[in-house]
Amino acid sequence: MKKITVLAGGVGGARFLEGLLRAAPGAEVTVIGNVGDDITLHGLRVCPDLDTVMYTLGGGIHPEQRWGRDDESFGVARELAEYGVGPDWFTLGDKDIATHLVRTQMLEAGYPLSAVTEALCARWKPGVRLLPATDDRAETHVVVRDEENKRSAVHFQEYWVRLHAPDAEQIVFVGADEAKPAPGVLEAIAEADVIVLPPSNPVVSIGAILAVGGTGKNIRDAVISARAPVVGLSPIIGTAPVRGMADKVLAAEGVQTTPSAVAAYHGADLLDGWLVHDTDVDQVAPVEQVGIRCRAVPLLMKSLDATAEMARATLEFAAELAR
Amino acid sequence: MKKITVLAGGVGGARFLEGLLRAAPGAEVTVIGNVGDDITLHGLRVCPDLDTVMYTLGGGIHPEQRWGRDDESFGVARELAEYGVGPDWFTLGDKDIATHLVRTQMLEAGYPLSAVTEALCARWKPGVRLLPATDDRAETHVVVRDEENKRSAVHFQEYWVRLHAPDAEQIVFVGADEAKPAPGVLEAIAEADVIVLPPSNPVVSIGAILAVGGTGKNIRDAVISARAPVVGLSPIIGTAPVRGMADKVLAAEGVQTTPSAVAAYHGADLLDGWLVHDTDVDQVAPVEQVGIRCRAVPLLMKSLDATAEMARATLEFAAELAR
């Protein structure tokens, strides 16, 4: 398993990758990062998922929060509040702003996001090749009912951070159909020895990545036709997400919040194998019934050791599926 | 003296204005601010002179330094240094960056600098109407000799901050000829009861403002043809600038560093009166010889009281000239 390609969202993906790098120290790991959550705030282009991966693997992540920078300060944000400049529901730290300044300036100078990400990673040395799913704008929007019960589409960050994930009616990957996979993405999928879907949000992280390319050369088709086994880890344990509010966006897609329903949502054409938490052993049969090989192993990332063990189980399972 | 119009650079202009507001509490003060020092750093549009006036009169200036914000922090700047992103010779504080973020975002949204400045002043309430000399780009560049003795033009900030004002060969107001005075500027000059040139740098502050408009409707001509008396305060005491490195840019213009030489540089067509420091009483005759009325009064802004007294002397002198 020399070449490992991982489709990653933010916190869940980043933590899994920490374990994977420990479990497979010699591997060439390519991470295809979600950009659906990206947002422009105060004129700064913010890529929360790419940065969470970069900061986590580069040793700059806030250790408890698991997103944002360690030893962060908020001098700029306090002053923006003094100006009464919104939004007030998304606070950027000073160190984090430096990243966004570098990124925004490079984007404005004409560099694609993939080149910008590579430049930022030259400092962070995350130990993986971090690629945005696309260099084009593909933003996740969520259709909700507003106070007057009218349908209204909001940016994912507004849905998640400002509104705290109310009931959603629809998830729309705006621009994903027209977006092209970033340079290296389709190659990293085609040439992989194993493709992993870590325990990230199945809709707004993994789904947003897979949607890139639409009816053209898209990431979902590339994963389906890849020679490598595709193994996913359930972000649902029992009937609840391990972290975050995935149940709300699953409901919008008409998917139950169970490990087997998420596996079926991804589909047997996409997934070769699916790992569920060891207490969800009853989910193995329903997953296998839809044509996806399934195994129950501990899936709680409660320590780096535990996460490395999960990654090891993932690679073993993939090796077995490749036979 | 109801309407007072002041052409102001940074620190010197801002301090004088503090005194003026105390000396003439009922007056309508319009400040025409220098934008020749403006620079784009890390993608942020920075207007040092406008901000120095705004922060000083709004109560947010660093009390000793006299530029930049009080209680400033440098979280963003330290992190930019970690990225190895230059320039390393111009450090922006976190609070200051908030101002530049608001400005840059408004400029990118299409607002002219004058509207942006008005919006920023809605918070700072400087007690004056602060107008940029122009909404167009008019940047001061300085021609110097580089290490290989080749002529090279650098942005004023690079000349001043990075190179610490070496001998200059030429001062060029790039874009000033094509720049139009900002809305309200020509009116504020035409309708003024008195026009004041505070002890700012005569070349790169006052000169850069006067140059705006070039061969079209320019600020210099507007001041010359204004009905109000025009009084300037010498930034030179003895044979040295009170503050800064004005001697270097005066030399580039072929002007000696004396109060009378600076008065002659501005010209008898522009100036009706010129104030020199009380120890420079020998300069009164040479100034009057070129056709400019001159008086020697204390010109050291060592306290707000002293500065208010200077402003009072300026207004009295102007009243006398208006008769």
Short mmCIF file of all heavy atoms in Angstrom, two decimals, chain A residues 41-44 54-55 69 73 75-76 78-80 82-83 85 93-99 101-102 105 108 119-120 123-124, chain B residues 41-44 54-55 69 73 75-76 78-80 82-83 85 93-99 101-102 105 108 119-120 123-124:
data_model
loop_
_atom_site.label_atom_id
_atom_site.label_comp_id
_atom_site.label_asym_id
_atom_site.label_seq_id
_atom_site.Cartn_x
_atom_site.Cartn_y
_atom_site.Cartn_z
N LEU A 41 -14.54 36.10 3.78
CA LEU A 41 -14.92 36.92 4.94
C LEU A 41 -13.98 38.11 5.04
O LEU A 41 -12.76 37.93 5.01
CB LEU A 41 -14.81 36.10 6.23
CG LEU A 41 -15.80 34.94 6.39
CD1 LEU A 41 -15.35 34.03 7.51
CD2 LEU A 41 -17.20 35.46 6.67
N HIS A 42 -14.54 39.31 5.11
CA HIS A 42 -13.72 40.53 5.19
C HIS A 42 -12.74 40.60 4.01
O HIS A 42 -11.62 41.08 4.15
CB HIS A 42 -12.96 40.59 6.51
CG HIS A 42 -13.82 40.34 7.71
ND1 HIS A 42 -14.81 41.23 8.10
CD2 HIS A 42 -13.89 39.30 8.56
CE1 HIS A 42 -15.42 40.73 9.16
NE2 HIS A 42 -14.90 39.57 9.45
N GLY A 43 -13.17 40.04 2.88
CA GLY A 43 -12.32 40.06 1.70
C GLY A 43 -11.24 38.99 1.69
O GLY A 43 -10.44 38.91 0.76
N LEU A 44 -11.22 38.15 2.72
CA LEU A 44 -10.20 37.10 2.84
C LEU A 44 -10.79 35.75 2.45
O LEU A 44 -11.89 35.40 2.90
CB LEU A 44 -9.69 37.02 4.28
CG LEU A 44 -9.05 38.30 4.83
CD1 LEU A 44 -8.77 38.14 6.32
CD2 LEU A 44 -7.77 38.59 4.07
N MET A 54 -4.10 21.00 7.20
CA MET A 54 -2.74 21.55 7.17
C MET A 54 -2.23 21.87 8.57
O MET A 54 -1.10 21.52 8.93
CB MET A 54 -2.77 22.82 6.31
CG MET A 54 -1.47 23.48 6.04
SD MET A 54 -1.68 24.86 4.85
CE MET A 54 -2.34 26.15 5.93
N TYR A 55 -3.05 22.52 9.37
CA TYR A 55 -2.64 22.88 10.74
C TYR A 55 -2.50 21.63 11.61
O TYR A 55 -1.58 21.54 12.43
CB TYR A 55 -3.67 23.81 11.40
CG TYR A 55 -3.84 25.21 10.82
CD1 TYR A 55 -5.01 25.92 11.03
CD2 TYR A 55 -2.82 25.83 10.08
CE1 TYR A 55 -5.19 27.21 10.53
CE2 TYR A 55 -2.99 27.11 9.57
CZ TYR A 55 -4.18 27.80 9.80
OH TYR A 55 -4.35 29.08 9.31
N ARG A 69 -6.02 27.88 15.10
CA ARG A 69 -4.63 27.83 15.50
C ARG A 69 -4.43 27.72 17.02
O ARG A 69 -5.27 28.17 17.80
CB ARG A 69 -3.89 29.07 14.97
CG ARG A 69 -3.74 29.12 13.46
CD ARG A 69 -2.86 27.98 12.96
NE ARG A 69 -1.67 27.84 13.82
CZ ARG A 69 -0.59 28.58 13.69
NH1 ARG A 69 -0.53 29.50 12.75
NH2 ARG A 69 0.44 28.41 14.50
N SER A 73 -4.74 34.61 18.99
CA SER A 73 -5.20 35.89 19.55
C SER A 73 -6.25 36.47 18.62
O SER A 73 -6.41 36.01 17.48
CB SER A 73 -4.03 36.85 19.73
OG SER A 73 -3.41 37.10 18.48
N GLY A 75 -6.94 40.08 18.06
CA GLY A 75 -6.83 41.53 17.97
C GLY A 75 -7.59 42.11 16.78
O GLY A 75 -8.28 43.12 16.91
N VAL A 76 -7.47 41.47 15.63
CA VAL A 76 -8.16 41.98 14.43
C VAL A 76 -9.67 41.84 14.60
O VAL A 76 -10.42 42.79 14.33
CB VAL A 76 -7.70 41.22 13.17
CG1 VAL A 76 -8.48 41.70 11.95
CG2 VAL A 76 -6.20 41.39 12.94
N ARG A 78 -11.57 41.71 17.28
CA ARG A 78 -12.13 42.67 18.23
C ARG A 78 -12.29 44.04 17.58
O ARG A 78 -13.27 44.75 17.81
CB ARG A 78 -11.22 42.79 19.47
CG ARG A 78 -11.60 41.86 20.60
CD ARG A 78 -10.88 42.23 21.90
NE ARG A 78 -9.44 42.27 21.74
CZ ARG A 78 -8.64 41.22 21.90
NH1 ARG A 78 -9.15 40.05 22.24
NH2 ARG A 78 -7.35 41.33 21.74
N GLU A 79 -11.30 44.39 16.78
CA GLU A 79 -11.32 45.70 16.15
C GLU A 79 -12.37 45.75 15.03
O GLU A 79 -13.03 46.79 14.85
CB GLU A 79 -9.92 45.98 15.60
CG GLU A 79 -9.64 47.41 15.33
CD GLU A 79 -9.71 48.32 16.54
OE1 GLU A 79 -9.70 47.82 17.68
OE2 GLU A 79 -9.81 49.53 16.33
N LEU A 80 -12.53 44.67 14.31
CA LEU A 80 -13.60 44.62 13.30
C LEU A 80 -14.95 44.80 13.98
O LEU A 80 -15.84 45.48 13.45
CB LEU A 80 -13.56 43.29 12.53
CG LEU A 80 -12.41 43.13 11.53
CD1 LEU A 80 -12.34 41.69 11.02
CD2 LEU A 80 -12.54 44.10 10.35
N GLU A 82 -15.44 46.55 16.66
CA GLU A 82 -15.53 47.98 16.99
C GLU A 82 -16.03 48.78 15.78
O GLU A 82 -16.71 49.78 15.94
CB GLU A 82 -14.16 48.52 17.42
CG GLU A 82 -13.67 48.01 18.76
CD GLU A 82 -14.45 48.62 19.92
OE1 GLU A 82 -14.98 49.73 19.79
OE2 GLU A 82 -14.54 47.94 20.97
N TYR A 83 -15.64 48.33 14.60
CA TYR A 83 -16.12 49.00 13.38
C TYR A 83 -17.57 48.60 13.08
O TYR A 83 -18.18 49.16 12.16
CB TYR A 83 -15.24 48.66 12.17
CG TYR A 83 -14.01 49.53 12.04
CD1 TYR A 83 -12.74 49.02 12.23
CD2 TYR A 83 -14.13 50.87 11.70
CE1 TYR A 83 -11.61 49.82 12.10
CE2 TYR A 83 -13.01 51.68 11.57
CZ TYR A 83 -11.75 51.15 11.77
OH TYR A 83 -10.65 51.94 11.64
N VAL A 85 -18.39 45.81 11.77
CA VAL A 85 -18.35 45.12 10.49
C VAL A 85 -18.62 43.64 10.70
O VAL A 85 -17.95 43.00 11.50
CB VAL A 85 -16.97 45.33 9.83
CG1 VAL A 85 -16.78 44.38 8.66
CG2 VAL A 85 -16.82 46.77 9.36
N GLY A 93 -9.13 34.28 13.92
CA GLY A 93 -7.99 34.59 14.79
C GLY A 93 -6.89 35.29 14.01
O GLY A 93 -6.85 35.24 12.78
N ASP A 94 -5.99 35.94 14.73
CA ASP A 94 -4.92 36.71 14.09
C ASP A 94 -3.97 35.83 13.28
O ASP A 94 -3.63 36.15 12.13
CB ASP A 94 -4.13 37.50 15.14
CG ASP A 94 -4.99 38.53 15.86
OD1 ASP A 94 -5.93 39.05 15.24
OD2 ASP A 94 -4.75 38.77 17.06
N LYS A 95 -3.53 34.72 13.88
CA LYS A 95 -2.61 33.82 13.15
C LYS A 95 -3.30 33.27 11.90
O LYS A 95 -2.70 33.16 10.84
CB LYS A 95 -2.21 32.65 14.05
CG LYS A 95 -1.22 32.98 15.14
CD LYS A 95 -0.94 31.70 15.90
CE LYS A 95 0.20 31.83 16.88
NZ LYS A 95 0.45 30.53 17.56
N ASP A 96 -4.56 32.90 12.09
CA ASP A 96 -5.34 32.35 10.99
C ASP A 96 -5.46 33.39 9.87
O ASP A 96 -5.35 33.04 8.68
CB ASP A 96 -6.72 31.98 11.53
CG ASP A 96 -7.41 30.93 10.68
OD1 ASP A 96 -6.72 30.11 10.04
OD2 ASP A 96 -8.66 30.92 10.65
N ILE A 97 -5.65 34.64 10.24
CA ILE A 97 -5.78 35.72 9.25
C ILE A 97 -4.51 35.82 8.40
O ILE A 97 -4.59 36.08 7.19
CB ILE A 97 -6.12 37.06 9.95
CG1 ILE A 97 -7.61 37.06 10.34
CG2 ILE A 97 -5.78 38.26 9.05
CD1 ILE A 97 -8.04 38.26 11.15
N ALA A 98 -3.36 35.60 9.01
CA ALA A 98 -2.11 35.63 8.23
C ALA A 98 -2.17 34.60 7.10
O ALA A 98 -1.80 34.89 5.96
CB ALA A 98 -0.90 35.38 9.14
N THR A 99 -2.65 33.40 7.41
CA THR A 99 -2.82 32.38 6.37
C THR A 99 -3.74 32.88 5.26
O THR A 99 -3.45 32.74 4.07
CB THR A 99 -3.41 31.09 6.98
OG1 THR A 99 -2.51 30.59 7.98
CG2 THR A 99 -3.64 30.01 5.93
N LEU A 101 -4.48 35.95 4.48
CA LEU A 101 -3.87 37.07 3.73
C LEU A 101 -2.94 36.52 2.65
O LEU A 101 -2.97 36.98 1.50
CB LEU A 101 -3.08 37.98 4.67
CG LEU A 101 -3.89 39.01 5.46
CD1 LEU A 101 -3.00 39.68 6.51
CD2 LEU A 101 -4.49 40.07 4.54
N VAL A 102 -2.11 35.55 3.02
CA VAL A 102 -1.19 34.97 2.05
C VAL A 102 -1.99 34.32 0.92
O VAL A 102 -1.72 34.53 -0.27
CB VAL A 102 -0.26 33.93 2.71
CG1 VAL A 102 0.63 33.26 1.67
CG2 VAL A 102 0.60 34.59 3.80
N GLN A 105 -3.92 36.96 -1.30
CA GLN A 105 -3.02 37.71 -2.17
C GLN A 105 -2.54 36.86 -3.34
O GLN A 105 -2.45 37.34 -4.46
CB GLN A 105 -1.83 38.20 -1.34
CG GLN A 105 -1.30 39.52 -1.85
CD GLN A 105 -0.07 39.97 -1.10
OE1 GLN A 105 0.25 39.44 -0.03
NE2 GLN A 105 0.62 40.94 -1.65
N GLU A 108 -5.39 36.43 -5.80
CA GLU A 108 -5.60 37.66 -6.58
C GLU A 108 -4.49 37.86 -7.60
O GLU A 108 -4.70 38.49 -8.63
CB GLU A 108 -5.74 38.87 -5.64
CG GLU A 108 -7.16 38.97 -5.13
CD GLU A 108 -7.34 39.98 -4.00
OE1 GLU A 108 -6.43 40.78 -3.76
OE2 GLU A 108 -8.41 39.94 -3.37
N ALA A 119 1.96 26.17 -1.66
CA ALA A 119 2.86 27.19 -1.10
C ALA A 119 2.70 27.27 0.42
O ALA A 119 3.68 27.36 1.16
CB ALA A 119 2.58 28.55 -1.74
N LEU A 120 1.47 27.24 0.90
CA LEU A 120 1.24 27.28 2.35
C LEU A 120 1.83 26.04 3.02
O LEU A 120 2.40 26.12 4.11
CB LEU A 120 -0.26 27.39 2.65
CG LEU A 120 -0.95 28.70 2.22
CD1 LEU A 120 -2.47 28.57 2.36
CD2 LEU A 120 -0.45 29.88 3.05
N ARG A 123 5.49 25.70 4.22
CA ARG A 123 5.81 26.01 5.61
C ARG A 123 5.39 24.89 6.55
O ARG A 123 6.13 24.53 7.45
CB ARG A 123 5.12 27.30 6.02
CG ARG A 123 5.25 27.52 7.52
CD ARG A 123 4.47 28.69 8.03
NE ARG A 123 4.46 28.67 9.48
CZ ARG A 123 3.58 29.32 10.23
NH1 ARG A 123 2.65 30.06 9.65
NH2 ARG A 123 3.64 29.24 11.54
N TRP A 124 4.17 24.36 6.36
CA TRP A 124 3.59 23.47 7.36
C TRP A 124 4.09 22.04 7.27
O TRP A 124 3.99 21.27 8.24
CB TRP A 124 2.06 23.51 7.29
CG TRP A 124 1.53 24.80 7.81
CD1 TRP A 124 1.06 25.85 7.08
CD2 TRP A 124 1.46 25.20 9.17
NE1 TRP A 124 0.69 26.88 7.90
CE2 TRP A 124 0.93 26.51 9.20
CE3 TRP A 124 1.79 24.59 10.39
CZ2 TRP A 124 0.72 27.21 10.38
CZ3 TRP A 124 1.58 25.28 11.56
CH2 TRP A 124 1.05 26.57 11.55
N LEU B 41 -0.05 46.46 0.95
CA LEU B 41 0.80 45.47 1.62
C LEU B 41 -0.03 44.24 1.96
O LEU B 41 -1.09 44.37 2.58
CB LEU B 41 1.37 46.06 2.91
CG LEU B 41 2.37 47.21 2.75
CD1 LEU B 41 2.56 47.90 4.10
CD2 LEU B 41 3.69 46.70 2.22
N HIS B 42 0.45 43.07 1.58
CA HIS B 42 -0.28 41.83 1.84
C HIS B 42 -1.70 41.92 1.28
O HIS B 42 -2.64 41.37 1.87
CB HIS B 42 -0.31 41.52 3.34
CG HIS B 42 1.03 41.58 3.98
ND1 HIS B 42 2.03 40.69 3.68
CD2 HIS B 42 1.57 42.45 4.88
CE1 HIS B 42 3.11 40.99 4.38
NE2 HIS B 42 2.86 42.07 5.10
N GLY B 43 -1.86 42.65 0.18
CA GLY B 43 -3.17 42.79 -0.42
C GLY B 43 -4.07 43.80 0.27
O GLY B 43 -5.22 43.98 -0.12
N LEU B 44 -3.55 44.46 1.30
CA LEU B 44 -4.34 45.44 2.06
C LEU B 44 -3.95 46.86 1.66
O LEU B 44 -2.76 47.17 1.57
CB LEU B 44 -4.09 45.26 3.56
CG LEU B 44 -4.45 43.89 4.13
CD1 LEU B 44 -3.96 43.77 5.57
CD2 LEU B 44 -5.95 43.66 4.06
N MET B 54 -6.89 60.33 11.40
CA MET B 54 -8.13 59.73 11.93
C MET B 54 -7.92 59.17 13.34
O MET B 54 -8.73 59.40 14.25
CB MET B 54 -8.57 58.64 10.97
CG MET B 54 -9.87 57.96 11.27
SD MET B 54 -10.33 56.83 9.91
CE MET B 54 -9.28 55.40 10.28
N TYR B 55 -6.84 58.41 13.51
CA TYR B 55 -6.56 57.82 14.82
C TYR B 55 -6.22 58.91 15.85
O TYR B 55 -6.62 58.82 17.01
CB TYR B 55 -5.37 56.84 14.75
CG TYR B 55 -5.58 55.57 13.95
CD1 TYR B 55 -4.47 54.87 13.44
CD2 TYR B 55 -6.84 55.03 13.70
CE1 TYR B 55 -4.62 53.70 12.72
CE2 TYR B 55 -6.99 53.85 12.97
CZ TYR B 55 -5.87 53.19 12.48
OH TYR B 55 -6.01 52.02 11.78
N ARG B 69 -1.72 52.33 16.15
CA ARG B 69 -2.74 52.26 17.18
C ARG B 69 -2.17 52.09 18.59
O ARG B 69 -1.09 51.56 18.79
CB ARG B 69 -3.68 51.07 16.87
CG ARG B 69 -4.56 51.29 15.64
CD ARG B 69 -5.50 52.46 15.83
NE ARG B 69 -6.13 52.39 17.15
CZ ARG B 69 -7.17 51.62 17.44
NH1 ARG B 69 -7.71 50.88 16.50
NH2 ARG B 69 -7.68 51.60 18.64
N SER B 73 -1.26 45.00 19.02
CA SER B 73 -0.63 43.67 19.07
C SER B 73 -0.19 43.30 17.66
O SER B 73 -0.58 43.94 16.69
CB SER B 73 -1.62 42.65 19.63
OG SER B 73 -2.77 42.56 18.80
N GLY B 75 -0.02 39.86 16.25
CA GLY B 75 -0.23 38.44 15.99
C GLY B 75 -0.15 38.10 14.51
O GLY B 75 0.47 37.12 14.12
N VAL B 76 -0.76 38.91 13.68
CA VAL B 76 -0.76 38.64 12.23
C VAL B 76 0.65 38.80 11.68
O VAL B 76 1.13 37.94 10.93
CB VAL B 76 -1.74 39.58 11.49
CG1 VAL B 76 -1.67 39.34 9.99
CG2 VAL B 76 -3.18 39.39 11.99
N ARG B 78 3.59 38.57 13.08
CA ARG B 78 4.51 37.49 13.48
C ARG B 78 4.28 36.26 12.62
O ARG B 78 5.22 35.57 12.22
CB ARG B 78 4.30 37.14 14.96
CG ARG B 78 5.21 37.89 15.91
CD ARG B 78 5.20 37.25 17.30
NE ARG B 78 3.85 37.18 17.85
CZ ARG B 78 3.28 38.16 18.55
NH1 ARG B 78 3.92 39.28 18.79
NH2 ARG B 78 2.04 38.02 19.00
N GLU B 79 3.01 36.00 12.36
CA GLU B 79 2.67 34.81 11.58
C GLU B 79 3.05 34.98 10.11
O GLU B 79 3.49 34.02 9.46
CB GLU B 79 1.17 34.56 11.73
CG GLU B 79 0.73 33.18 11.40
CD GLU B 79 1.33 32.10 12.27
OE1 GLU B 79 1.86 32.40 13.36
OE2 GLU B 79 1.30 30.94 11.83
N LEU B 80 2.89 36.18 9.57
CA LEU B 80 3.34 36.44 8.20
C LEU B 80 4.85 36.21 8.10
O LEU B 80 5.34 35.67 7.10
CB LEU B 80 2.99 37.87 7.77
CG LEU B 80 1.51 38.15 7.50
CD1 LEU B 80 1.27 39.65 7.32
CD2 LEU B 80 1.01 37.39 6.26
N GLU B 82 6.48 34.07 9.90
CA GLU B 82 6.65 32.62 9.91
C GLU B 82 6.48 32.04 8.50
O GLU B 82 7.11 31.06 8.14
CB GLU B 82 5.65 31.95 10.85
CG GLU B 82 5.89 32.19 12.32
CD GLU B 82 7.11 31.46 12.85
OE1 GLU B 82 7.44 30.39 12.30
OE2 GLU B 82 7.74 31.96 13.80
N TYR B 83 5.59 32.66 7.73
CA TYR B 83 5.41 32.22 6.34
C TYR B 83 6.54 32.72 5.44
O TYR B 83 6.61 32.36 4.28
CB TYR B 83 4.06 32.72 5.79
CG TYR B 83 2.88 31.83 6.12
CD1 TYR B 83 1.88 32.25 6.99
CD2 TYR B 83 2.77 30.57 5.55
CE1 TYR B 83 0.80 31.44 7.29
CE2 TYR B 83 1.70 29.75 5.84
CZ TYR B 83 0.71 30.18 6.71
OH TYR B 83 -0.33 29.37 7.00
N VAL B 85 6.75 35.73 4.39
CA VAL B 85 6.13 36.61 3.41
C VAL B 85 6.54 38.06 3.71
O VAL B 85 6.37 38.54 4.82
CB VAL B 85 4.60 36.47 3.48
CG1 VAL B 85 3.91 37.58 2.71
CG2 VAL B 85 4.18 35.11 2.93
N GLY B 93 0.16 46.35 12.60
CA GLY B 93 -0.43 45.83 13.83
C GLY B 93 -1.81 45.23 13.57
O GLY B 93 -2.43 45.49 12.54
N ASP B 94 -2.27 44.43 14.52
CA ASP B 94 -3.55 43.73 14.36
C ASP B 94 -4.73 44.70 14.27
O ASP B 94 -5.59 44.56 13.40
CB ASP B 94 -3.77 42.75 15.52
CG ASP B 94 -2.71 41.67 15.56
OD1 ASP B 94 -2.22 41.28 14.48
OD2 ASP B 94 -2.37 41.21 16.66
N LYS B 95 -4.78 45.69 15.16
CA LYS B 95 -5.89 46.65 15.13
C LYS B 95 -5.86 47.43 13.82
O LYS B 95 -6.90 47.68 13.20
CB LYS B 95 -5.77 47.64 16.29
CG LYS B 95 -6.13 47.09 17.65
CD LYS B 95 -5.93 48.22 18.67
CE LYS B 95 -6.50 47.90 20.03
NZ LYS B 95 -6.32 49.05 20.94
N ASP B 96 -4.67 47.82 13.44
CA ASP B 96 -4.50 48.57 12.20
C ASP B 96 -4.97 47.73 11.01
O ASP B 96 -5.61 48.25 10.09
CB ASP B 96 -3.01 48.93 12.08
CG ASP B 96 -2.77 50.13 11.18
OD1 ASP B 96 -3.65 51.00 11.10
OD2 ASP B 96 -1.70 50.19 10.56
N ILE B 97 -4.67 46.45 11.04
CA ILE B 97 -5.08 45.56 9.95
C ILE B 97 -6.60 45.54 9.81
O ILE B 97 -7.13 45.49 8.69
CB ILE B 97 -4.50 44.14 10.16
CG1 ILE B 97 -3.02 44.13 9.78
CG2 ILE B 97 -5.27 43.08 9.35
CD1 ILE B 97 -2.29 42.83 10.07
N ALA B 98 -7.30 45.62 10.93
CA ALA B 98 -8.78 45.66 10.84
C ALA B 98 -9.23 46.86 10.01
O ALA B 98 -10.11 46.72 9.15
CB ALA B 98 -9.38 45.71 12.24
N THR B 99 -8.61 48.02 10.25
CA THR B 99 -8.92 49.20 9.43
C THR B 99 -8.66 48.92 7.95
O THR B 99 -9.49 49.23 7.09
CB THR B 99 -8.05 50.40 9.89
OG1 THR B 99 -8.33 50.70 11.25
CG2 THR B 99 -8.30 51.64 9.04
N LEU B 101 -8.51 46.05 6.42
CA LEU B 101 -9.46 45.06 5.89
C LEU B 101 -10.77 45.73 5.49
O LEU B 101 -11.31 45.47 4.42
CB LEU B 101 -9.73 43.96 6.93
CG LEU B 101 -8.69 42.86 7.05
CD1 LEU B 101 -8.99 41.98 8.28
CD2 LEU B 101 -8.66 41.98 5.80
N VAL B 102 -11.28 46.59 6.38
CA VAL B 102 -12.53 47.29 6.07
C VAL B 102 -12.34 48.14 4.81
O VAL B 102 -13.16 48.12 3.89
CB VAL B 102 -12.98 48.16 7.26
CG1 VAL B 102 -14.23 48.96 6.89
CG2 VAL B 102 -13.24 47.30 8.50
N GLN B 105 -11.84 46.00 1.54
CA GLN B 105 -13.07 45.35 1.12
C GLN B 105 -14.02 46.37 0.48
O GLN B 105 -14.67 46.09 -0.53
CB GLN B 105 -13.74 44.69 2.32
CG GLN B 105 -14.49 43.45 1.93
CD GLN B 105 -15.22 42.83 3.09
OE1 GLN B 105 -14.97 43.15 4.25
NE2 GLN B 105 -16.13 41.92 2.79
N GLU B 108 -12.69 47.32 -2.94
CA GLU B 108 -12.93 46.25 -3.91
C GLU B 108 -14.41 46.16 -4.28
O GLU B 108 -14.75 45.71 -5.37
CB GLU B 108 -12.42 44.91 -3.36
CG GLU B 108 -10.93 44.79 -3.62
CD GLU B 108 -10.27 43.63 -2.93
OE1 GLU B 108 -10.98 42.74 -2.42
OE2 GLU B 108 -9.03 43.60 -2.89
N ALA B 119 -16.69 56.44 5.83
CA ALA B 119 -17.25 55.31 6.58
C ALA B 119 -16.38 54.98 7.80
O ALA B 119 -16.89 54.72 8.90
CB ALA B 119 -17.37 54.09 5.66
N LEU B 120 -15.07 54.99 7.62
CA LEU B 120 -14.17 54.71 8.75
C LEU B 120 -14.32 55.80 9.81
O LEU B 120 -14.31 55.52 11.01
CB LEU B 120 -12.72 54.62 8.27
CG LEU B 120 -12.38 53.42 7.37
CD1 LEU B 120 -10.98 53.58 6.78
CD2 LEU B 120 -12.48 52.10 8.14
N ARG B 123 -16.92 55.79 12.66
CA ARG B 123 -16.55 55.24 13.96
C ARG B 123 -15.68 56.21 14.75
O ARG B 123 -15.89 56.40 15.94
CB ARG B 123 -15.80 53.92 13.79
CG ARG B 123 -15.20 53.45 15.11
CD ARG B 123 -14.34 52.23 14.99
NE ARG B 123 -13.62 52.02 16.24
CZ ARG B 123 -12.54 51.28 16.36
NH1 ARG B 123 -12.06 50.65 15.31
NH2 ARG B 123 -11.95 51.16 17.53
N TRP B 124 -14.70 56.80 14.09
CA TRP B 124 -13.67 57.55 14.82
C TRP B 124 -14.08 58.96 15.22
O TRP B 124 -13.51 59.53 16.14
CB TRP B 124 -12.35 57.58 14.02
CG TRP B 124 -11.70 56.25 14.00
CD1 TRP B 124 -11.70 55.34 12.97
CD2 TRP B 124 -11.00 55.63 15.07
NE1 TRP B 124 -11.03 54.20 13.34
CE2 TRP B 124 -10.59 54.35 14.63
CE3 TRP B 124 -10.67 56.02 16.38
CZ2 TRP B 124 -9.88 53.47 15.44
CZ3 TRP B 124 -9.95 55.15 17.18
CH2 TRP B 124 -9.57 53.88 16.71
#
